[in-house]
Amino acid sequence: QVQLVESGGGLVQAGESLRLSCAASGRTFSNYAVGWFRQAPGKEREFVAAISRSGSSTNYADSVKGRFTISRDNAKNTVYLQMNFLRPEDTAVYYCAARWLVLRTTVGEYDYWGQGTQVTVSS
């Protein structure tokens, strides 16, 4: 079992930045790939970014490329999502998720989920 807790969400204006954190506990964190997903009201949960176990590989949704950066610190059991140049369409609940070993980009391939943190971007 892996327990995940997100933090860092909030209300910002368009063009501003936020950094989300995903703190993990339980099994050896460095054995898990981690993804960030988001869900806006009335929409399906969608992939945002993912990072491999070591942090050497990353993957981003086209909508956030060049604006968001995912990183991890395995010594702290934490994954980060730095979000710059935020837009109103980035408004959603952001979730981190973990899966054993291999990085993937679809919701159904992740086994462990946090409770989410709200990000609201005003225009």
Side-chain angles (χ1 to χ4, degrees), residues 10 12 26-27 29 44 49 60 63 70-71 73 105-106:
V12 296
R27 298 281 182 91
F29 184 57
E44 292 187 354
Y60 295 92
S63 59
I70 189 170
S71 61
D73 184 340
T105 62
T106 58

Side-chain angles (χ1 to χ4, degrees), residues 104-116:
R104 291 286 187 265
T105 62
T106 58
V107 171
E109 294 184 288
Y110 280 78
D111 303 305
Y112 304 101
W113 291 83
Q115 294 301 305

Side-chain angles (χ1 to χ4, degrees), residues 50-65:
I51 191 165
S52 63
R53 292 176 292 154
S54 67
S56 60
S57 295
T58 58
N59 196 313
Y60 295 92
D62 288 342
S63 59
V64 306
K65 278 181 182 176

Side-chain angles (χ1 to χ4, degrees), residues 52-123:
S52 63
R53 292 176 292 154
S54 67
S56 60
S57 295
T58 58
N59 196 313
Y60 295 92
D62 288 342
S63 59
V64 306
K65 278 181 182 176
R67 299 188 299 124
F68 291 11
T69 303
I70 189 170
S71 61
R72 68 188 296 162
D73 184 340
N74 284 340
K76 296 183 178 180
N77 286 359
T78 302
V79 171
Y80 305 97
L81 185 68
Q82 178 66 43
M83 305 186 296
N84 298 329
F85 305 107
L86 283 161
R87 305 167 179 169
E89 54 263 39
D90 294 319
T91 295
V93 177
Y94 283 70
Y95 300 89
C96 68
R99 72 181 311 277
W100 180 252
L101 294 182
V102 182
L103 186 159
R104 291 286 187 265
T105 62
T106 58
V107 171
E109 294 184 288
Y110 280 78
D111 303 305
Y112 304 101
W113 291 83
Q115 294 301 305
T117 185
Q118 177 70 47
V119 172
T120 303
V121 185
S122 64
S123 56

